[in-house]
Amino acid sequence: MNTFNLFDDTRRHRRRFLGTVSIIAGLQLVLAASASAQSNAVQTLSPIKSATNTSFGTIKQIDAGLLNIGYAEAGPADGPPVILLHGWPYDIYSYVDVAPLLASKGYRVLVPYLRGYGTTTFKSSDTFRNAQQSVVALDIIAFMDALHIKKAIIGGFDWGARTADVMAVLWPERCKAIVSVGGYLISSPAGNQTPWPPQPAFLFWYQYYFATPVGKAGYAKYLDEFNKFIWHQASPKWNFDDATYNRTAASFNNPDHVEIVMHDYRWRLGLADGERKYDDLEKRLAALPVVTVPAITMEGDANGAIHAPSTAYRNKFSGKYDYRLITGGVGHNIPQEAPQAFAQAVIDVDAF
């Protein structure tokens, strides 16, 4: 909030103007300017701790494209729309504290389960269980269409950040702005053929494991143990409790979850085919196009997942841009570990 000292302002206006009428007029101008500055200023949020909230309430369902999508909603129906996207192995509960923060500032917050998670299901058993990057982004475009949303702020991390990036370059007219944890995550199977040095390759161990039949079987058999292990690896300083993990783990019971996860990582490495009807979109993405919409990228200072330094992708954002390093032992799941910082980024990028 902007403040000013009435006595000091009066003295300034007395020096500028002669007579009582001029003093009053000057004060009115100051008050009007102050009110205007406050209305245009970026809103700030009150402090909130992670795990303050434990439920979204009712989960809604809507037919959208190939899916029947389950989603949480918060805030006024006529508020500026914000769509928040989770990654693997997470779900909508990554935003359980972010959503009410944004709703309290007047945003309409929508948090969908991605394909293969929670209550999101395929409308047809014949649909190929595809998780290539363009397809997941098309799901969110279909979700927006089903809800008659022309343009929204898109925020995400992990798969969700990649999806936000993809939407911003393929359909910039649908994205008012994006918040992307981890920066620029668009890739291609061909681009992913470059060998990694041992240390970063080690962090990709699960992707190589998933490339094998025993990896798929192992993931299905030890689903909860596997994903909890990934949580600890990706966020080594995040002291989440069993209740927090279990709320998300329920979404892995989706009948398509294992197939979607396997296809995502195998497709990335060129070990599984996508669908030919999406080739044109993937060709555009393989060129690694620049994000032109306003963007904020973020990183946690204790992210245990492989990630590029911010300097490596800075030139991939040509619009108004900011980068934020979130300190204090914050790992990969910034929205859940540092909800205030993520929500503030959404508010700030809206003001860009």
Side-chain angles (χ1 to χ4, degrees):
M1 177 178 291
N2 298 322
T3 60
F4 63 93
N5 185 293
L6 182 60
F7 177 72
D8 288 343
D9 276 300
T10 301
R11 289 198 304 175
R12 284 197 296 270
H13 288 293
R14 184 177 287 117
R15 288 194 298 267
R16 295 178 183 176
F17 302 97
L18 297 176
T20 303
V21 174
S22 297
I23 293 171
I24 295 173
L27 284 171
Q28 287 175 333
L29 289 171
V30 172
L31 289 168
S34 176
S36 176
Q38 290 183 45
S39 65
N40 293 328
V42 172
Q43 302 178 72
T44 55
L45 296 165
S46 300
I48 185 174
K49 291 183 178 180
S50 178
T52 297
N53 298 285
T54 59
S55 175
F56 283 105
T58 302
I59 300 299
K60 300 181 179 181
Q61 300 290 140
I62 192 167
D63 284 339
L66 300 173
L67 306 173
N68 179 264
I69 294 179
Y71 67 101
E73 182 170 1
D78 61 349
V82 176
I83 298 175
L84 304 177
L85 305 174
H86 67 83
W88 173 85
Y90 307 94
D91 79 336
I92 65 172
Y93 278 92
S94 290
Y95 298 101
V96 72
D97 289 318
V98 171
L101 286 174
L102 294 176
S104 71
K105 298 300 181 181
Y107 290 95
R108 181 188 184 189
V109 186
L110 302 148
V111 194
Y113 284 109
L114 299 186
R115 53 172 57 197
Y117 295 81
T119 61
T120 291
T121 57
F122 286 86
K123 293 191 290 185
S124 171
S125 59
D126 296 329
T127 302
F128 178 51
R129 274 32 179 180
N130 184 347
Q132 67 188 99
Q133 60 189 347
S134 62
V135 173
V136 178
L138 277 168
D139 289 343
I140 307 306
I141 295 295
F143 178 65
M144 293 173 68
D145 290 344
L147 291 169
H148 307 291
I149 295 172
K150 293 182 179 180
K151 181 178 284 192
I153 298 171
I154 312 296
F157 76 105
D158 199 84
W159 290 20
R162 179 184 68 171
T163 302
D165 294 338
V166 170
M167 292 174 67
V169 300
L170 293 182
W171 302 284
E173 73 280 1
R174 307 300 298 270
C175 303
K176 181 177 182 182
I178 66 169
V179 174
S180 178
V181 175
Y184 189 90
L185 301 180
I186 297 171
S187 65
S188 69
N192 288 332
Q193 297 309 304
T194 302
W196 288 91
Q199 186 172 356
F202 170 75
L203 296 175
F204 271 143
W205 69 270
Y206 59 90
Q207 298 194 25
Y208 305 131
Y209 182 61
F210 289 163
T212 67
V214 71
K216 179 178 180 180
Y219 185 64
K221 182 175 181 178
Y222 299 105
L223 189 62
D224 283 341
E225 294 172 66
F226 197 105
N227 288 341
K228 184 180 283 188
F229 182 81
I230 294 294
W231 277 31
H232 284 295
Q233 177 182 320
S235 300
K237 296 185 179 182
W238 182 26
N239 295 316
F240 60 88
D241 58 20
D242 287 342
T244 297
Y245 175 77
N246 291 337
R247 278 190 290 274
T248 287
S251 73
F252 307 145
N253 294 324
N254 183 291
D256 300 304
H257 179 75
V258 174
E259 291 295 331
I260 289 296
V261 172
M262 293 302 113
H263 186 264
D264 180 277
Y265 290 109
R266 291 178 179 183
W267 177 84
R268 294 191 201 195
L269 294 175
L271 301 174
D273 285 335
E275 293 179 84
R276 300 285 72 80
K277 60 185 175 181
Y278 305 118
D279 281 355
D280 287 345
L281 294 177
E282 293 298 344
K283 184 178 180 179
R284 291 169 60 188
L285 294 173
L288 306 181
V290 170
V291 174
T292 59
V293 304
I296 291 177
T297 65
M298 309 177 72
E299 195 63 76
D301 67 343
N303 186 2
I306 190 168
H307 57 280
S310 61
T311 53
Y313 54 75
R314 175 63 187 90
N315 65 352
K316 289 300 180 182
F317 296 88
S318 64
K320 191 165 184 182
Y321 174 82
D322 190 26
Y323 167 76
R324 297 178 181 184
L325 178 66
I326 311 304
T327 61
V330 176
H332 189 59
N333 184 1
I334 287 181
Q336 199 161 3
E337 298 176 60
Q340 183 180 354
F342 188 91
Q344 190 65 57
V346 171
I347 292 171
D348 291 349
V349 83
D350 186 23
F352 283 7

